[in-house]
């Protein structure tokens, strides 16, 4: 990994992470969770079913480097909301990126693969994320580190598949009926999951919480 991507505590045992047993299939769902909502749960549970995952970890970022942080709730508040919502015992909420001192997915994935070399990680993202994946720091490195499951989002399928990252990764895409073997594949490998989901988003929820004038 290039030195500029190394977090200050990359190898530290002080970084708190859920437990991962040898051979376990673990989905990684990163995001601001500002706030968490039902779609996060739906994506997690659908991924566990379709991909044969043992767990899904919600990686609550201290701050998405591609987003403004003006309306970002404090990390502890977002963690508490996540834990109230994620009642499924196979969903684990973690703020390990704050311990790492980095909000870069490339750093997070590299750290987890080093910490848990016998686990099988799958990165989970929405179709809207794939559409902008080429803007992520070291996105090609991420795709080469871990298989990726892309959950369909309303009105995003065409934009996602025709995006720069979607086109670049097209040769490595598995048919959705082979999603169950994704965790066993060497990266790069990915699948687009046509999951029926709500259009609910954190942005819309925050807008609904703002007081109106007049």
């Amino acid at each position: 990994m290039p030195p500029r991507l190394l977090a200050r505590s990359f190898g530290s045992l002080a970084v708190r992470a859920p437990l991962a047993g040898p051979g376990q299939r673990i989905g990684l769902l990163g995001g601001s969770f500002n706030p968490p909502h039902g779609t996060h749960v739906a994506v997690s549970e659908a991924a566990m079913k379709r991909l044969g995952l043992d767990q899904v970890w919600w990686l609550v970022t201290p701050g998405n480097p591609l987003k403004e942080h003006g309306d970002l709730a404090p990390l502890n508040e977002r963690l508490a909301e996540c834990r109230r919502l994620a009642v499924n015992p196979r969903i684990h909420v973690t703020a390990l990126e704050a311990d790492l001192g980095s909000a870069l997915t490339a750093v997070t994935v590299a750290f987890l693969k080093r910490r848990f070399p016998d686990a099988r990680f799958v990165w989970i993202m929405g179709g809207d994320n794939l559409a902008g994946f080429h803007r992520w720091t070291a996105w090609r490195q991420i795709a080469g580190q871990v298989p990726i499951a892309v959950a369909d989002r309303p009105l995003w399928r065409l934009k996602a598949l025709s995006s720069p990252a979607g086109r670049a990764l097209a040769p490595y895409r598995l048919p959705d009926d082979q999603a169950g073997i994704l965790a066993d594949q060497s990266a790069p490998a990915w699948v687009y999951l046509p999951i029926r989901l709500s259009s609910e988003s954190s942005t819309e929820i925050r807008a609904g919480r703002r007081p109106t004038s007049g």
Side-chain angles (χ1 to χ4, degrees):
M1 172 177 290
R4 66 187 179 83
L5 293 184
L6 292 178
R8 61 176 178 269
S9 54
F10 188 81
S12 174
L13 293 177
V15 178
R16 296 162 293 180
L19 297 179
Q24 280 199 320
R25 297 175 166 196
I26 299 172
L28 304 173
L29 181 63
S32 301
F33 296 90
N34 187 42
H37 49 74
T39 296
H40 293 126
V41 177
V43 166
S44 300
E45 294 185 338
M48 285 190 284
K49 180 178 180 180
R50 297 287 304 278
L51 305 177
L53 303 178
D54 298 294
Q55 307 177 45
V56 170
W57 295 359
W58 287 6
L59 306 176
V60 185
T61 180
N64 187 325
L66 294 179
K67 293 182 179 180
E68 296 293 333
H69 299 164
D71 59 356
L72 186 65
L75 179 60
N76 286 342
E77 290 183 12
R78 288 181 283 130
L79 288 170
E81 287 195 54
C82 285
R83 288 170 179 143
R84 282 194 293 268
L85 186 64
V87 296
N88 188 319
R90 294 164 61 196
I91 299 176
H92 301 275
V93 177
T94 176
L96 65 88
E97 289 184 330
D99 292 341
L100 271 173
S102 172
L104 297 179
T105 298
V107 171
T108 301
V109 170
F111 167 78
L112 290 174
K113 287 174 68 67
R114 180 181 291 186
R115 170 72 70 87
F116 303 106
D118 298 322
R120 300 173 184 173
F121 291 107
V122 175
W123 187 262
I124 302 170
M125 66 167 68
D128 52 335
N129 296 132
L130 179 60
F133 190 36
H134 61 286
R135 297 172 53 225
W136 294 24
T137 299
W139 70 271
R140 291 181 183 273
Q141 178 179 310
I142 297 167
Q145 287 180 312
V146 65
I148 297 173
V150 181
D152 198 12
R153 293 298 307 274
L155 306 178
W156 279 100
R157 184 183 182 92
L158 180 58
K159 292 179 182 178
L161 297 179
S162 62
S163 68
R167 294 195 305 271
L169 297 174
Y172 308 104
R173 181 183 173 192
L174 298 178
D176 62 82
D177 61 1
Q178 294 184 25
I181 66 171
L182 180 66
D184 301 320
Q185 304 304 300
S186 297
W190 65 289
V191 65
Y192 198 96
L193 296 175
I195 301 170
R196 179 174 293 181
L197 294 173
S198 162
S199 59
E200 183 178 38
S201 73
S202 295
T203 301
E204 292 171 345
I205 293 173
R206 289 197 304 276
R209 288 181 176 181
R210 296 190 188 108
T212 57
S213 59

